[in-house]
Amino acid sequence: MKAKDFLPSDFIPIRVDLFDELLDDRALERGSVILLSGGAGTGKTTFCMQSIYYSALAGEKCIYLSFEEEPKNIKKHMKKNFGWDFDKLEQEGKVAIIKLDPIKVSRQVEQRIDEKKGLLEIKLEDIQFPFKPDKVCVDSLSALSIAFQGQETYRVYIKELFELLTGLNAVSFVISETDQIPKVYSRTGTEEFLADGVIVLYNSLNGEKRENGIEILKLRSGKHYKAMVPYEITEKGIRFNLKH
Ligand SMILES: Nc1ncnc2c1ncn2[C@@H]1O[C@H](COP(=O)(O)OP(=O)(O)OP(=O)(O)O)[C@@H](O)[C@H]1O
Ligand SMILES: [Mg+2]
């Protein structure tokens, strides 16, 4: 048996189809915050929900924080599109899908920055975690960022949010909406430097056909495949076309 056949307990697989095969460790290190960037409809939400669904089936606890879509709509679409029953997983206490109001978050942060003159401290009460998660998804930073009036305040918040996620010792995915073929992977351009990893979903036009590709742009925790991998969204979720 090869060393990599043993999964160290401080690593958590992504569990989205064959994606873990692109990573030398076959998983991501706990405490990692991974920026998942891509254009509208490229499958960012699907990638995260698929990762959570298969994690929950494998006994890992997962939390989905939505700044955008209502949890009941996300669950309805996941069931209809891919047959994933998140109501059941929530009832079993394996998954929690939580809606956060970006306006409320930004107001709280801006108020606290005023009070403390720049010293910001995000308390865990700001985000209610019903259990200690193994995996967390934040969907999306873009929905959150538009609620902030000042870019500087948003930047301070993002830094603190990334630190908070790191401290959870889970694997966290943070979604960022970009152009269909992005050159910048986040709103302020600093998120990709703060993140421990960056995964980009592309949507390009080939003749009259749209084609999707995924790329691991950076990963601090280990070696990874370094080319674009084509993927499709199917009735079973994201499927990669791995040729190597
Ligand atoms: N069962 C299915 N089979 C094939 N494609 C599907 C299926 N269900 C959904 N899709 C495709 O998945 C896309 C949506 O994926 P998803 O919502 O994950 O993208 P997103 O990147 O999160 O989008 P947004 O930018 O709106 O948040 C749809 O635009 C649709 O084309
Ligand atoms: Mg989405």
Side-chain angles (χ1 to χ4, degrees):
M1 199 179 265
K2 299 189 297 287
K4 287 287 157 55
D5 290 341
F6 294 99
L7 191 61
S9 58
D10 54 348
F11 277 70
I12 305 264
I14 299 180
R15 304 190 191 280
V16 176
D17 190 35
L18 303 174
F19 195 80
D20 288 308
E21 290 187 16
L22 303 177
L23 312 173
D24 211 38
D25 291 315
R26 300 286 185 265
L28 293 169
E29 195 175 32
R30 278 185 186 269
S32 301
V33 180
I34 308 295
L35 188 71
L36 185 67
S37 299
T42 46
K44 303 176 296 296
T45 299
T46 305
F47 184 98
C48 285
M49 291 306 272
Q50 189 167 347
S51 176
I52 281 188
Y53 183 76
Y54 287 101
S55 264
L57 293 189
E60 292 149 6
K61 294 206 157 201
C62 307
I63 295 181
Y64 200 87
L65 300 173
S66 174
F67 280 113
E68 214 166 334
E69 282 183 84
E70 287 299 329
K72 72 169 180 6
N73 288 342
I74 300 177
K75 287 188 274 187
K76 186 176 76 184
H77 293 150
M78 291 300 132
K79 191 161 187 191
K80 178 176 168 285
N81 293 347
F82 311 113
W84 302 331
D85 189 347
F86 280 96
D87 279 325
K88 186 164 176 280
L89 293 174
E90 273 198 319
Q91 281 154 18
E92 292 168 352
K94 295 172 177 166
V95 168
I97 303 175
I98 300 166
K99 172 84 198 273
L100 296 175
D101 182 347
I103 304 280
K104 262 194 208 151
V105 172
S106 70
R107 294 275 151 76
Q108 282 170 1
V109 172
E110 277 158 357
Q111 198 179 349
R112 223 166 319 120
I113 286 185
D114 282 349
E115 285 164 8
K116 295 192 176 178
K117 297 198 175 60
L119 276 177
L120 175 65
E121 187 192 323
I122 300 174
K123 296 188 227 94
L124 268 177
E125 307 89 79
D126 286 356
I127 303 173
Q128 298 281 342
F129 291 100
F131 46 74
K132 190 170 165 21
D134 297 300
K135 200 174 266 180
V136 177
C137 296
V138 179
D139 192 356
S140 67
L141 286 189
S142 320
L144 174 66
S145 75
I146 46 178
F148 277 81
Q149 291 177 351
Q151 176 139 321
E152 205 41 53
T153 320
Y154 170 70
R155 212 193 288 259
V156 173
Y157 180 71
I158 288 304
K159 191 163 177 298
E160 299 288 331
L161 178 67
F162 275 45
E163 279 169 13
L164 176 129
L165 293 173
T166 304
L168 288 175
N169 208 29
V171 160
S172 301
F173 289 104
V174 175
I175 291 178
S176 167
E177 267 151 44
T178 62
D179 293 340
Q180 295 295 330
I181 304 173
K183 290 192 184 70
V184 179
Y185 304 101
S186 59
R187 175 181 165 190
T188 71
T190 52
E191 289 89 323
E192 53 258 47
F193 296 103
L194 288 174
D196 300 297
V198 179
I199 297 174
V200 189
L201 301 175
Y202 294 88
N203 183 355
S204 52
L205 204 53
N206 185 359
E208 288 186 351
K209 211 170 160 259
R210 287 227 164 252
E211 287 175 353
N212 287 118
I214 194 164
E215 183 188 17
I216 305 165
L217 208 65
K218 101 172 192 189
L219 187 64
R220 287 181 181 148
S221 65
K223 260 171 69 183
H224 57 87
Y225 187 66
K226 288 196 179 126
M228 187 86 78
V229 177
Y231 69 89
E232 278 178 276
I233 303 179
T234 73
E235 60 187 18
K236 290 186 170 160
I238 292 181
R239 285 284 176 267
F240 297 103
N241 185 4
L242 298 188
K243 291 197 192 91
H244 70 287

